[in-house]
Amino acid sequence: MPEGPEIRRAADRISKALIGKEIIESNFYYERIREKEEKVKNKNIKEITTKGKAMLIRFENDWSMYSHNQLYGRWTVNLNTTRVKSARALRVVLKTKKHAVRLWSATNIDLIPTSEEDEHPFLKKIGPDVLNESCSFELIEERLTSKNFHKKKASTLMLDQTFFAGLGNYLRSEILFDAKIHPDDRPFDLDKTKITQWANSIKNISHLAYKTGGFTVSKSLADKNKANGESKRSYRHAVFMRNKYECLDCKSRIERKWYGKRKLDYCPSCQIQRAKV
Ligand SMILES: [Zn+2]
């Protein structure tokens, strides 16, 4: 499931293929952007950036392509000579002499003037991007304890894109375990030390996932869990998809809670509830 770190890694891959290169062909097949295609057709690309789970491809004539992959959109990068077969619907193709970059299946795509990015309905609403360098520990603490957010449950906050952009389901479980916070506690229920720990985990775990391609534990821990017969969807995490396994810290059994249709895995012994219920 693509969360902030996965989108940023996709942006890195696409940037490598496109930035500083001549675009020799570009096609926009999605209905909504086809009518504005002339604005950016065969224009070179200046930069590619992400805001949470959204990607912005900025063309040199100050137009931008906004895309949000939700759960099903997918970027691919191939050599131009590679024949690509896919059952997915092709939305966008950007070609250089060497590479072909394609966006598949996504339904949330827009072409907008770069100067109007901030007014885009999605970008307007979202909070700071956790992976952005300007997102400091202090800023995270400040938001955790702010009036807008301090009485919301941890399980809610960790998916709320207006709080921070880029967090998703696996990061939610992993961050709360790393900070040892119960999913039903609110910032309001916690002392200063706990808030600081939470802020650190938000930033550190997101960065770790970005650097490693979705791993939220050290390589040695992942290797150990792998050697014990765990599959990749569980050995790369500490608690997420590890329900029924032992907690890596205390040997209690990892448990699963459901919030809406989304699962959250946690250790009931390490993540003790602090709110009086
Ligand atoms: Zn534990």
Side-chain angles (χ1 to χ4, degrees):
M1 186 181 304
E3 301 183 15
E6 286 72 33
I7 296 298
R8 184 160 285 210
R9 284 173 73 89
D12 291 347
R13 247 181 339 124
I14 299 167
S15 296
K16 235 174 161 179
L18 300 179
I19 302 292
K21 313 277 162 45
E22 188 192 348
I23 301 292
I24 58 167
E25 187 190 333
S26 54
N27 290 299
F28 301 82
Y29 299 105
Y30 192 52
E31 201 55 51
R32 183 171 175 159
I33 51 175
R34 197 184 293 159
E35 56 195 41
K36 287 189 244 170
E37 162 180 81
E38 285 315 312
K39 303 279 185 201
V40 295
K41 192 154 179 66
N42 302 344
K43 291 277 185 286
N44 291 343
I45 292 159
K46 198 162 60 175
E47 59 183 343
I48 300 175
T49 187
T50 60
K51 287 193 177 170
K53 301 177 199 172
M55 191 185 296
L56 286 161
I57 296 187
R58 295 181 180 139
F59 297 88
E60 60 181 16
N61 63 339
D62 293 324
W63 272 75
S64 297
M65 188 179 94
Y66 161 92
S67 62
H68 193 300
N69 278 358
Q70 287 152 311
L71 298 179
Y72 43 85
R74 191 166 164 213
W75 286 99
T76 56
V77 179
N78 295 98
L79 289 174
N80 235 338
T81 45
T82 309
R83 286 191 60 178
V84 179
K85 268 200 217 159
S86 175
R88 291 167 176 269
L90 183 59
R91 305 302 195 197
V92 177
V93 186
L94 301 161
K95 279 188 185 169
T96 65
K97 274 186 197 126
K98 196 169 177 199
H99 289 106
V101 172
R102 296 179 177 87
L103 175 60
W104 307 87
S105 307
T107 49
N108 212 335
I109 317 171
D110 263 326
L111 287 170
I112 49 175
T114 302
S115 60
E116 290 172 21
E117 281 176 5
D118 289 344
E119 282 124 64
H120 185 276
F122 177 78
L123 298 176
K124 198 163 68 177
K125 281 188 311 205
I126 60 171
D129 183 333
V130 274
L131 291 173
N132 197 295
E133 276 170 30
S134 65
C135 181
S136 63
F137 294 115
E138 292 75 22
L139 175 70
I140 302 176
E141 276 192 38
E142 216 177 277
R143 283 181 87 76
L144 276 170
T145 50
S146 71
K147 260 199 188 134
N148 282 344
F149 299 113
H150 76 146
K151 287 199 174 164
K152 290 189 175 173
K153 282 182 181 182
S155 56
T156 308
L157 276 180
M158 291 291 89
L159 294 185
D160 181 348
Q161 300 300 299
T162 68
F163 174 58
F164 280 103
L167 303 179
N169 222 30
Y170 81 80
L171 287 172
R172 167 170 80 167
S173 290
E174 294 299 293
I175 288 167
L176 293 180
F177 174 74
D178 190 63
K180 304 289 183 274
I181 287 169
H182 190 278
D184 292 333
D185 274 348
R186 308 161 298 172
F188 183 77
D189 305 311
L190 308 173
D191 62 22
K192 173 88 176 74
T193 318
K194 229 43 215 165
I195 294 287
T196 303
Q197 208 174 351
W198 191 354
N200 288 344
S201 299
I202 289 174
K203 200 164 156 79
N204 295 340
I205 295 291
S206 303
H207 273 275
L208 181 62
Y210 167 58
K211 261 193 341 224
T212 57
F215 283 66
T216 46
V217 291
S218 66
K219 183 160 188 322
S220 57
L221 255 180
D223 287 345
K224 198 174 130 200
N225 291 339
K226 190 179 177 181
N228 287 339
E230 290 188 29
S231 68
K232 191 177 178 188
R233 56 188 204 146
S234 76
Y235 71 64
R236 61 200 176 121
H237 298 312
V239 284
F240 191 66
M241 300 307 284
R242 295 194 72 252
N243 58 317
K244 295 177 190 153
Y245 287 109
E246 282 181 356
C247 170
L248 300 170
D249 288 358
C250 76
K251 307 274 179 218
S252 299
R253 214 175 144 99
I254 307 289
E255 285 181 13
R256 173 161 291 175
K257 268 168 145 345
W258 289 89
Y259 294 89
K261 284 184 180 154
R262 311 196 68 180
K263 49 183 163 290
L264 183 151
D265 298 326
Y266 78 113
C267 172
S269 307
C270 291
Q271 294 166 259
I272 294 164
Q273 188 158 16
R274 285 169 170 80
K276 291 172 189 73
V277 281

